[in-house]
Coordinates of all heavy atoms in Angstrom, one line a residue:
M1 N 115.7 65.6 139.8 CA 116.3 65.6 138.6 C 117.5 66.5 138.6 O 117.4 67.6 139.1 CB 115.3 66.0 137.4 CG 115.6 65.4 136.1 SD 114.5 66.0 134.8 CE 113.0 65.2 135.3
Q2 N 118.6 66.1 137.9 CA 119.8 66.9 137.9 C 119.6 68.2 137.0 O 118.7 68.2 136.1 CB 121.0 66.2 137.3 CG 121.6 65.2 138.3 CD 122.6 64.3 137.7 OE1 122.3 63.2 137.2 NE2 123.8 64.8 137.6
K3 N 120.3 69.2 137.3 CA 120.3 70.4 136.5 C 120.5 70.1 135.0 O 121.4 69.4 134.7 CB 121.3 71.4 137.0 CG 121.1 72.8 136.6 CD 122.0 73.7 137.5 CE 121.8 75.2 137.0 NZ 122.8 75.6 136.0
N4 N 119.7 70.8 134.2 CA 119.8 70.6 132.8 C 119.5 69.2 132.2 O 119.8 68.9 131.1 CB 121.2 71.1 132.3 CG 121.3 72.6 132.3 OD1 120.4 73.3 132.2 ND2 122.5 73.0 132.6
Y5 N 119.0 68.4 133.1 CA 118.5 67.1 132.6 C 117.0 67.2 132.2 O 116.3 67.9 132.8 CB 118.7 66.0 133.7 CG 120.0 65.3 133.6 CD1 121.2 66.1 133.6 CD2 120.1 63.9 133.5 CE1 122.5 65.5 133.5 CE2 121.4 63.3 133.4 CZ 122.5 64.1 133.4 OH 123.8 63.5 133.3
R6 N 116.7 66.4 131.2 CA 115.3 66.4 130.7 C 114.9 65.0 130.6 O 115.7 64.1 130.5 CB 115.2 67.2 129.4 CG 115.4 68.7 129.5 CD 114.5 69.4 130.4 NE 114.7 70.8 130.4 CZ 115.5 71.4 131.2 NH1 116.2 70.8 132.2 NH2 115.7 72.8 131.2
R7 N 113.6 64.8 130.4 CA 113.0 63.5 130.3 C 112.4 63.3 128.9 O 111.6 64.2 128.5 CB 112.0 63.2 131.4 CG 111.3 61.9 131.2 CD 110.6 61.5 132.5 NE 111.5 61.1 133.5 CZ 111.4 61.4 134.8 NH1 110.4 62.1 135.3 NH2 112.2 60.9 135.7
C8 N 112.7 62.2 128.3 CA 112.1 61.9 127.0 C 110.6 61.7 127.2 O 110.2 60.9 128.1 CB 112.7 60.7 126.4 SG 111.9 60.1 124.9
I9 N 109.7 62.2 126.4 CA 108.3 62.1 126.5 C 107.8 60.7 126.1 O 106.7 60.3 126.5 CB 107.5 63.1 125.7 CG1 107.8 63.1 124.2 CG2 107.7 64.5 126.3 CD1 106.9 63.9 123.4
S10 N 108.6 59.9 125.5 CA 108.2 58.5 125.1 C 108.8 57.5 126.0 O 108.0 56.8 126.6 CB 108.7 58.2 123.7 OG 108.0 59.0 122.7
C11 N 110.1 57.4 126.2 CA 110.6 56.3 127.0 C 111.0 56.7 128.4 O 111.4 55.9 129.2 CB 111.9 55.7 126.3 SG 113.3 56.9 126.3
R12 N 110.8 58.0 128.8 CA 111.1 58.5 130.1 C 112.5 58.5 130.5 O 112.8 58.7 131.7 CB 110.2 57.7 131.2 CG 108.8 57.6 130.9 CD 108.1 58.9 131.2 NE 106.7 58.9 130.7 CZ 105.9 59.9 130.7 NH1 106.4 61.1 131.2 NH2 104.7 59.9 130.3
L13 N 113.4 58.2 129.6 CA 114.8 58.3 129.9 C 115.2 59.7 130.2 O 114.7 60.6 129.6 CB 115.6 57.8 128.7 CG 117.1 57.8 128.8 CD1 117.5 56.4 129.3 CD2 117.7 58.0 127.4
T14 N 116.0 59.9 131.2 CA 116.5 61.2 131.5 C 118.0 61.4 131.0 O 118.7 60.4 131.1 CB 116.5 61.6 133.0 OG1 117.2 60.7 133.7 CG2 115.0 61.7 133.5
A15 N 118.3 62.5 130.5 CA 119.6 62.8 129.9 C 119.8 64.3 129.8 O 118.8 65.0 129.9 CB 119.7 62.1 128.6
P16 N 121.1 64.7 129.7 CA 121.3 66.1 129.5 C 120.5 66.6 128.3 O 120.4 66.0 127.3 CB 122.8 66.2 129.2 CG 123.4 65.0 129.8 CD 122.3 64.0 129.6
K17 N 119.9 67.8 128.5 CA 119.0 68.3 127.5 C 119.6 68.4 126.1 O 118.9 68.3 125.1 CB 118.3 69.6 127.9 CG 119.3 70.8 128.0 CD 118.5 72.0 128.4 CE 119.4 73.2 128.5 NZ 118.7 74.5 128.9
E18 N 120.9 68.6 126.0 CA 121.5 68.7 124.7 C 121.4 67.5 123.9 O 121.5 67.5 122.7 CB 123.1 69.0 124.8 CG 123.4 70.3 125.5 CD 123.2 70.4 127.0 OE1 123.3 69.3 127.6 OE2 123.1 71.4 127.6
S19 N 121.2 66.3 124.6 CA 121.2 65.1 123.8 C 119.8 64.8 123.3 O 119.6 63.8 122.6 CB 121.7 63.9 124.6 OG 120.9 63.8 125.8
F20 N 118.8 65.6 123.5 CA 117.5 65.4 123.0 C 117.1 66.3 121.9 O 117.6 67.4 121.7 CB 116.4 65.6 124.2 CG 116.4 64.6 125.2 CD1 116.6 64.9 126.6 CD2 116.2 63.3 124.9 CE1 116.5 63.9 127.5 CE2 116.1 62.3 125.8 CZ 116.3 62.6 127.2
L21 N 116.1 65.9 121.1 CA 115.5 66.8 120.2 C 114.4 67.6 121.0 O 113.8 67.1 121.9 CB 114.7 66.1 119.1 CG 115.6 65.2 118.2 CD1 114.7 64.4 117.3 CD2 116.5 66.1 117.3
R22 N 114.3 68.9 120.7 CA 113.4 69.7 121.5 C 112.3 70.2 120.5 O 112.6 70.7 119.4 CB 114.2 70.9 122.1 CG 113.4 71.8 122.9 CD 114.3 72.9 123.5 NE 113.6 73.7 124.5 CZ 113.2 75.0 124.2 NH1 113.4 75.5 123.0 NH2 112.6 75.7 125.1
V23 N 111.1 70.1 121.0 CA 109.9 70.6 120.3 C 109.4 71.7 121.2 O 109.2 71.5 122.4 CB 108.9 69.6 120.0 CG1 107.7 70.2 119.2 CG2 109.5 68.4 119.3
V24 N 109.2 72.8 120.6 CA 108.7 74.0 121.4 C 107.4 74.6 120.9 O 107.3 74.7 119.7 CB 109.8 75.0 121.6 CG1 110.3 75.6 120.3 CG2 109.4 76.2 122.6
R25 N 106.5 74.9 121.8 CA 105.3 75.6 121.5 C 105.7 77.1 121.8 O 105.8 77.4 123.0 CB 104.2 75.1 122.3 CG 102.9 76.0 122.2 CD 101.9 75.4 123.1 NE 100.8 76.4 123.3 CZ 99.7 76.2 124.0 NH1 99.6 75.0 124.7 NH2 98.8 77.0 124.1
S26 N 105.9 77.9 120.8 CA 106.4 79.2 121.1 C 105.4 80.1 121.7 O 104.2 79.9 121.5 CB 107.0 79.8 119.9 OG 106.0 80.1 118.9
Y27 N 105.9 81.0 122.5 CA 105.0 81.9 123.2 C 105.2 83.3 122.6 O 106.4 83.7 122.4 CB 105.3 81.9 124.7 CG 104.4 82.8 125.5 CD1 103.1 82.4 125.9 CD2 104.8 84.1 125.8 CE1 102.3 83.3 126.6 CE2 104.0 85.0 126.5 CZ 102.7 84.6 126.9 OH 101.9 85.4 127.6
P28 N 104.3 84.2 122.3 CA 102.8 83.9 122.5 C 102.1 83.5 121.3 O 100.8 83.4 121.3 CB 102.3 85.3 122.9 CG 103.2 86.2 122.1 CD 104.5 85.5 121.9
D29 N 102.8 83.1 120.2 CA 102.1 82.9 118.9 C 101.6 81.4 118.7 O 101.0 81.1 117.7 CB 102.8 83.4 117.7 CG 104.3 82.8 117.7 OD1 104.6 82.1 118.6 OD2 104.9 83.1 116.7
D30 N 102.0 80.5 119.7 CA 101.6 79.1 119.6 C 102.0 78.4 118.4 O 101.3 77.6 117.9 CB 100.0 79.0 119.8 CG 99.7 79.1 121.3 OD1 100.5 78.9 122.1 OD2 98.5 79.3 121.5
Q31 N 103.2 78.8 117.8 CA 103.7 78.0 116.7 C 104.5 76.8 117.3 O 105.2 77.0 118.2 CB 104.7 78.9 115.9 CG 104.0 80.0 115.1 CD 103.1 79.5 114.1 OE1 103.5 78.7 113.2 NE2 101.8 80.0 114.1
I32 N 104.3 75.7 116.6 CA 105.1 74.5 117.0 C 106.4 74.4 116.2 O 106.3 74.5 114.9 CB 104.3 73.2 116.9 CG1 103.0 73.3 117.6 CG2 105.1 72.0 117.3 CD1 103.1 73.4 119.1
K33 N 107.5 74.3 116.8 CA 108.7 74.2 116.0 C 109.7 73.3 116.7 O 109.6 73.0 117.9 CB 109.3 75.5 115.6 CG 109.6 76.4 116.8 CD 110.0 77.8 116.3 CE 110.4 78.6 117.5 NZ 110.9 80.0 117.1
V34 N 110.7 72.8 115.9 CA 111.7 72.0 116.4 C 113.0 72.8 116.6 O 113.3 73.6 115.7 CB 112.0 70.8 115.4 CG1 113.2 69.9 115.9 CG2 110.8 70.0 115.1
G35 N 113.6 72.6 117.7 CA 114.8 73.4 118.0 C 114.7 74.3 119.2 O 113.9 74.0 120.1
S36 N 115.3 75.5 119.1 CA 115.3 76.4 120.3 C 114.1 77.4 120.1 O 113.5 77.6 119.1 CB 116.6 77.1 120.3 OG 116.8 77.8 119.2
G37 N 113.8 78.0 121.2 CA 112.8 79.0 121.2 C 112.2 79.1 122.6 O 112.4 78.3 123.5
M38 N 111.5 80.2 122.9 CA 110.9 80.4 124.2 C 109.5 79.8 124.2 O 108.8 79.8 123.2 CB 110.7 81.9 124.4 CG 112.0 82.7 124.7 SD 112.5 82.4 126.4 CE 111.3 83.4 127.3
G39 N 109.2 79.2 125.3 CA 107.8 78.6 125.4 C 107.9 77.2 126.0 O 108.9 76.7 126.5
R40 N 106.7 76.6 126.0 CA 106.6 75.3 126.6 C 107.3 74.3 125.7 O 107.0 74.3 124.5 CB 105.1 74.9 126.7 CG 104.8 73.5 127.2 CD 103.3 73.4 127.3 NE 102.7 74.0 128.5 CZ 102.8 73.5 129.7 NH1 103.2 72.3 129.9 NH2 102.3 74.1 130.7
S41 N 108.0 73.4 126.3 CA 108.8 72.5 125.4 C 108.7 71.1 125.8 O 108.3 70.7 126.9 CB 110.3 73.0 125.3 OG 110.8 73.0 126.6
A42 N 109.0 70.2 124.9 CA 109.0 68.7 125.1 C 110.3 68.2 124.5 O 110.8 68.7 123.5 CB 107.8 68.1 124.4
Y43 N 110.7 67.1 125.1 CA 112.0 66.5 124.7 C 111.8 65.1 124.3 O 111.0 64.4 124.8 CB 113.1 66.6 125.8 CG 113.4 68.0 126.2 CD1 112.6 68.8 127.1 CD2 114.5 68.6 125.6 CE1 112.9 70.1 127.3 CE2 114.8 70.0 125.9 CZ 114.1 70.7 126.7 OH 114.4 72.0 127.0
L44 N 112.6 64.7 123.3 CA 112.5 63.4 122.7 C 113.9 62.9 122.3 O 114.7 63.7 121.8 CB 111.6 63.6 121.4 CG 110.9 62.4 120.8 CD1 109.9 61.8 121.8 CD2 110.2 62.9 119.5
C45 N 114.1 61.6 122.6 CA 115.4 61.1 122.1 C 115.5 61.2 120.6 O 114.5 61.0 119.9 CB 115.5 59.6 122.5 SG 115.3 59.1 124.2
P46 N 116.7 61.4 120.1 CA 116.8 61.3 118.6 C 116.8 59.9 118.1 O 117.8 59.3 117.6 CB 118.2 62.0 118.4 CG 119.0 61.8 119.7 CD 117.9 61.7 120.8
D47 N 115.7 59.2 118.3 CA 115.5 57.8 118.1 C 114.2 57.5 117.4 O 113.2 58.1 117.9 CB 115.6 57.1 119.5 CG 115.5 55.6 119.4 OD1 114.5 55.1 119.0 OD2 116.5 55.0 119.7
K48 N 114.3 56.7 116.4 CA 113.1 56.4 115.6 C 111.9 55.9 116.5 O 110.8 56.2 116.3 CB 113.4 55.5 114.5 CG 112.5 55.4 113.4 CD 113.2 54.8 112.2 CE 112.1 54.3 111.2 NZ 111.5 53.0 111.6
N49 N 112.3 55.0 117.4 CA 111.2 54.3 118.2 C 110.5 55.4 119.1 O 109.3 55.3 119.2 CB 111.9 53.3 119.1 CG 112.2 52.0 118.3 OD1 111.6 51.7 117.4 ND2 113.3 51.4 118.8
C50 N 111.3 56.3 119.7 CA 110.7 57.3 120.6 C 109.8 58.2 119.7 O 108.7 58.6 120.2 CB 111.8 58.0 121.3 SG 112.5 57.1 122.6
L51 N 110.2 58.5 118.5 CA 109.4 59.3 117.7 C 108.1 58.6 117.3 O 107.0 59.2 117.4 CB 110.2 59.6 116.4 CG 109.6 60.5 115.4 CD1 109.2 61.9 116.0 CD2 110.5 60.7 114.2
E52 N 108.2 57.4 117.0 CA 107.0 56.6 116.7 C 106.0 56.5 117.9 O 104.8 56.7 117.7 CB 107.3 55.2 116.2 CG 107.8 55.2 114.7 CD 108.3 53.8 114.3 OE1 108.2 52.8 115.0 OE2 108.8 53.8 113.2
V53 N 106.6 56.3 119.0 CA 105.7 56.2 120.2 C 105.1 57.5 120.5 O 103.9 57.6 120.8 CB 106.5 55.7 121.5 CG1 105.7 55.9 122.7 CG2 107.0 54.3 121.3
A54 N 105.9 58.6 120.4 CA 105.3 59.9 120.6 C 104.2 60.2 119.6 O 103.1 60.8 120.0 CB 106.4 61.0 120.4
Q55 N 104.3 59.8 118.4 CA 103.3 60.1 117.4 C 102.1 59.2 117.6 O 100.9 59.7 117.7 CB 103.9 59.8 116.0 CG 102.9 60.2 114.9 CD 103.7 60.2 113.5 OE1 104.7 59.6 113.3 NE2 103.1 61.0 112.6
K56 N 102.2 57.9 117.9 CA 101.1 57.0 118.1 C 100.3 57.4 119.3 O 99.1 57.3 119.3 CB 101.6 55.6 118.3 CG 101.8 54.8 117.0 CD 102.2 53.4 117.3 CE 102.9 52.8 116.0 NZ 104.0 51.8 116.4
K57 N 101.0 57.8 120.4 CA 100.2 58.1 121.6 C 100.0 59.5 121.8 O 99.6 59.9 122.9 CB 101.1 57.5 122.8 CG 101.2 56.0 122.7 CD 101.8 55.4 123.9 CE 101.8 53.9 123.8 NZ 102.3 53.2 125.0
N58 N 100.3 60.3 120.8 CA 100.0 61.8 120.9 C 100.7 62.4 122.1 O 100.2 63.3 122.7 CB 98.5 62.1 121.0 CG 97.9 62.0 119.6 OD1 98.4 62.6 118.7 ND2 96.7 61.4 119.5
R59 N 101.9 61.9 122.4 CA 102.6 62.4 123.6 C 103.0 63.9 123.4 O 103.0 64.7 124.4 CB 103.9 61.6 123.8 CG 103.7 60.2 124.3 CD 103.6 60.2 125.8 NE 103.1 59.0 126.3 CZ 103.9 57.9 126.5 NH1 105.1 57.9 126.2 NH2 103.4 56.8 127.0
L60 N 103.3 64.3 122.2 CA 103.7 65.7 122.0 C 102.5 66.6 122.3 O 102.5 67.6 123.0 CB 104.2 66.0 120.6 CG 105.7 65.8 120.4 CD1 106.0 66.0 118.9 CD2 106.5 66.6 121.2
R61 N 101.3 66.2 121.8 CA 100.1 67.0 122.0 C 99.8 67.1 123.5 O 99.5 68.2 123.9 CB 99.0 66.4 121.2 CG 97.8 67.3 121.2 CD 96.6 66.7 120.5 NE 96.0 65.6 121.3 CZ 95.1 64.7 120.9 NH1 94.7 64.8 119.6 NH2 94.7 63.8 121.6
K62 N 100.0 66.0 124.2 CA 99.7 66.1 125.6 C 100.7 66.9 126.4 O 100.2 67.7 127.2 CB 99.7 64.6 126.2 CG 98.4 63.9 126.0 CD 98.5 62.4 126.4 CE 97.4 61.6 125.8 NZ 97.7 60.2 125.7
S63 N 101.9 66.8 126.0 CA 102.8 67.6 126.9 C 102.9 69.1 126.4 O 103.2 69.9 127.3 CB 104.2 67.0 126.9 OG 104.9 67.1 125.7
L64 N 102.6 69.3 125.2 CA 102.5 70.8 124.8 C 101.1 71.4 124.9 O 101.0 72.6 124.8 CB 103.0 70.9 123.3 CG 104.5 70.5 123.1 CD1 104.8 70.5 121.6 CD2 105.5 71.3 123.8
R65 N 100.1 70.5 125.1 CA 98.7 71.0 125.3 C 98.2 71.7 124.1 O 97.6 72.8 124.2 CB 98.6 71.8 126.5 CG 98.8 70.9 127.8 CD 98.7 71.8 129.0 NE 99.4 71.1 130.2 CZ 99.7 71.7 131.3 NH1 99.5 72.9 131.5 NH2 100.3 71.0 132.3
I66 N 98.6 71.2 122.9 CA 98.1 71.8 121.7 C 98.3 70.7 120.6 O 99.1 69.8 120.7 CB 99.0 73.1 121.3 CG1 98.3 73.9 120.3 CG2 100.4 72.7 120.9 CD1 99.0 75.3 120.1
N67 N 97.5 70.9 119.5 CA 97.6 69.9 118.4 C 98.9 70.1 117.7 O 99.3 71.3 117.4 CB 96.5 70.1 117.4 CG 95.3 69.2 117.8 OD1 95.5 68.1 118.2 ND2 94.1 69.8 117.6
V68 N 99.6 69.0 117.4 CA 100.9 69.1 116.8 C 100.7 68.6 115.3 O 100.3 67.5 115.1 CB 101.9 68.2 117.5 CG1 103.2 68.1 116.8 CG2 102.1 68.7 118.9
P69 N 101.1 69.5 114.4 CA 100.9 69.1 113.0 C 101.8 67.9 112.6 O 102.9 67.8 113.1 CB 101.3 70.4 112.2 CG 101.9 71.3 113.1 CD 101.6 70.9 114.5
E70 N 101.4 67.1 111.6 CA 102.1 66.0 111.1 C 103.5 66.4 110.7 O 104.5 65.7 110.8 CB 101.4 65.3 109.9 CG 100.2 64.6 110.3 CD 100.5 63.4 111.1 OE1 101.4 62.6 110.8 OE2 99.8 63.1 112.1
K71 N 103.6 67.6 110.2 CA 104.9 68.1 109.6 C 106.0 68.1 110.7 O 107.1 67.8 110.4 CB 104.7 69.5 109.1 CG 106.0 70.1 108.5 CD 105.7 71.5 108.0 CE 107.0 72.1 107.4 NZ 108.1 72.1 108.4
I72 N 105.6 68.3 111.9 CA 106.6 68.3 113.0 C 107.2 66.9 113.2 O 108.4 66.8 113.3 CB 105.9 68.8 114.3 CG1 105.6 70.3 114.3 CG2 106.8 68.5 115.6 CD1 106.8 71.2 114.1
Y73 N 106.3 65.9 113.1 CA 106.9 64.6 113.2 C 107.8 64.2 112.0 O 108.8 63.6 112.2 CB 105.7 63.5 113.3 CG 105.0 63.6 114.6 CD1 103.7 64.2 114.7 CD2 105.5 63.1 115.7 CE1 103.0 64.3 115.8 CE2 104.8 63.1 116.9 CZ 103.6 63.7 117.0 OH 102.9 63.8 118.2
S74 N 107.5 64.7 110.8 CA 108.4 64.4 109.7 C 109.7 65.3 109.8 O 110.7 64.8 109.5 CB 107.7 64.6 108.4 OG 107.3 65.9 108.2
D75 N 109.6 66.5 110.4 CA 110.8 67.3 110.6 C 111.7 66.6 111.6 O 112.9 66.5 111.5 CB 110.4 68.6 111.2 CG 109.9 69.6 110.1 OD1 109.9 69.2 108.9 OD2 109.5 70.7 110.4
L76 N 111.0 66.0 112.7 CA 111.8 65.3 113.7 C 112.5 64.1 113.1 O 113.6 63.7 113.5 CB 110.9 64.9 114.9 CG 110.5 66.0 115.8 CD1 109.4 65.5 116.7 CD2 111.7 66.5 116.7
G77 N 111.7 63.4 112.3 CA 112.3 62.2 111.6 C 113.5 62.5 110.8 O 114.4 61.6 110.7
K78 N 113.6 63.7 110.3 CA 114.8 64.0 109.5 C 116.0 64.3 110.4 O 117.1 64.4 109.9 CB 114.5 65.2 108.7 CG 113.6 65.0 107.4 CD 113.3 66.2 106.6 CE 112.0 66.2 106.1 NZ 111.4 67.6 106.1
Q79 N 115.8 64.6 111.7 CA 116.9 65.0 112.5 C 117.5 63.9 113.3 O 117.1 62.8 113.3 CB 116.4 66.1 113.5 CG 116.0 67.3 112.7 CD 115.9 68.6 113.6 OE1 116.5 68.7 114.6 NE2 115.1 69.5 113.2
Ligands
ZN101 ZN1 113.1 58.2 124.4

């Protein structure tokens, strides 16, 4: 993978990380948030379909290894 490229957790598309929405499980407090921050992160296209797939298949939970509150999905939907 090229430097600074990331993969969407839903459609597996790779693109520069700036073009994705980022969800981060912050360290060490395990807060899930959208945007920047230190910790384990997952990337998602700013696309309604990818968001729906991620939600239906619990992709965020799998890649962040923690339960993701519904609010995160609605926050992502707004972005
Ligand atoms: Zn995608």
